[in-house]
Amino acid sequence: MTDVSTDNDVEEAAALRAAMVEQIAARHQALGLTLPAVVERALRTVPRHLFTGDADLNTAYQNAAHVTKRNELGKSMSSVSAPWLQAMMLGQARLKPGERVLEIGSGGYNAALIQEVVEPAGSVTTIDIDPEITDRAQRCLMDAGYDGVEVICADAEDVIEPGRTFDAIIVTVGSWDVPPAWLAQLAEGGRLVVPLRTWGLTRSWVLERQDGALTGRHHETCGRGDRPGPRVRHPPGRASPAA
Ligand SMILES: C[S@@+](CC[C@H](N)C(=O)[O-])C[C@H]1O[C@@H](n2cnc3c(N)ncnc32)[C@H](O)[C@@H]1O
């Protein structure tokens, strides 16, 4: 973990964090997005350098993803996502104090941001398939004082506990589709925020559960995905015959 032991280091971290938030706010403004005050406050509060391993302070507060695990070929297996993206998805989720939130894909930092927004009555559960990542996230969360976050190691394609539901589910791993478990775990009126990849583009979708089904609310383009997809020009859709 980055050593931030002197008063100067603490001040430098706070200044870099403030600069990162200004960049995120400016990006939101340029795109016509709203950065909710609760999310901005969380970004100003959570010490990101406690979640970025040995990275120096400048690197820890870049407005960019920070890779925390690579495979033997050097491919990224896990990261602390880019803060502009986390801020955008938290805004899309319209989180409120007191809500129960499930984060899919753990890095620790985003779970801490969510905890800042929903506390004291709300709860945060984060789930990751890789035990190395959940161990690391748990350690970082404890070190940063967010020991109330529940960290689970399991495949998020499966239901965590039958009957348990959340007011919001935020998926932080690129997805091709929505597994049935995500709908099953979403409370009525709850929001699922998920980066869906289609035709080489990733769009962060907001899907709301209504009458037991998901309704698409809106989406924001958030990346090109990690493989260059075919650029598809598609004709307007034809209504499918009634089932
Ligand atoms: C971008 S990282 C998560 C970033 C994190 N939310 C943060 O604080 O920035 C994506 C994570 O998703 C995890 N993941 C991939 N497939 C998964 C699955 N089926 N179930 C649970 N976790 C999964 C990976 O192990 C990886 O750690």
Side-chain angles (χ1 to χ4, degrees):
M1 191 198 305
T2 318
D3 183 19
V4 181
S5 43
T6 67
D7 287 351
N8 275 351
D9 291 339
V10 173
E11 267 178 37
E12 190 187 348
L16 289 167
R17 192 157 55 246
M20 181 189 82
V21 179
E22 295 311 322
Q23 281 181 34
I24 294 169
R27 186 181 186 283
H28 270 63
Q29 197 174 17
L31 293 174
L33 297 170
T34 305
L35 179 62
V38 282
V39 175
E40 180 171 344
R41 193 190 63 79
L43 290 163
R44 290 189 186 280
T45 306
V46 180
R48 191 171 192 255
H49 62 269
L50 297 183
F51 298 88
T52 49
D54 293 334
D56 61 39
L57 284 179
N58 273 304
T59 307
Y61 288 101
Q62 293 289 307
N63 191 12
H66 180 79
V67 175
T68 51
K69 182 174 177 179
R70 293 185 188 276
N71 69 8
E72 58 286 358
L73 299 174
K75 184 175 184 264
S76 167
M77 301 303 288
S78 191
S79 60
V80 172
S81 304
W84 64 263
L85 177 58
Q86 294 169 322
M88 190 185 85
M89 292 178 78
L90 297 191
Q92 285 184 299
R94 303 194 317 278
L95 299 181
K96 292 182 284 298
E99 290 195 313
R100 302 156 300 158
V101 184
L102 172 64
E103 179 199 37
I104 294 177
S106 311
Y109 177 64
N110 197 44
L113 293 176
I114 300 169
Q115 178 70 46
E116 284 287 341
V117 175
V118 301
E119 69 185 6
S123 67
V124 187
T125 300
T126 182
I127 181 170
D128 201 288
I129 200 166
D130 182 340
E132 206 180 300
I133 299 303
T134 46
D135 286 354
R136 180 185 183 283
Q138 180 97 66
R139 250 189 344 267
C140 293
L141 284 162
M142 298 284 268
D143 289 344
Y146 296 95
D147 41 349
V149 173
E150 179 186 25
V151 183
I152 295 176
C153 183
D155 187 342
E157 295 240 342
D158 302 322
V159 162
I160 296 173
E161 195 185 306
R164 184 171 177 193
T165 59
F166 298 88
D167 302 305
I169 300 178
I170 300 178
V171 183
T172 68
V173 53
S175 309
W176 307 105
D177 207 341
V178 175
W182 298 355
L183 172 61
Q185 293 179 111
L186 199 58
E188 191 57 23
R191 289 87 58 207
L192 169 67
V193 181
V194 52
L196 283 176
R197 295 170 182 164
T198 44
W199 297 319
L201 266 193
T202 306
R203 297 172 180 85
S204 179
W205 274 91
V206 183
L207 307 168
E208 211 171 287
R209 182 175 170 138
Q210 282 190 328
D211 302 324
L214 290 173
T215 301
R217 288 293 174 214
H218 70 272
H219 57 76
E220 301 292 342
T221 300
C222 63
R224 295 219 162 269
D226 53 14
R227 22 178 168 158
R231 295 282 167 272
V232 179
R233 288 199 191 91
H234 53 98
R238 202 185 295 271
S240 53

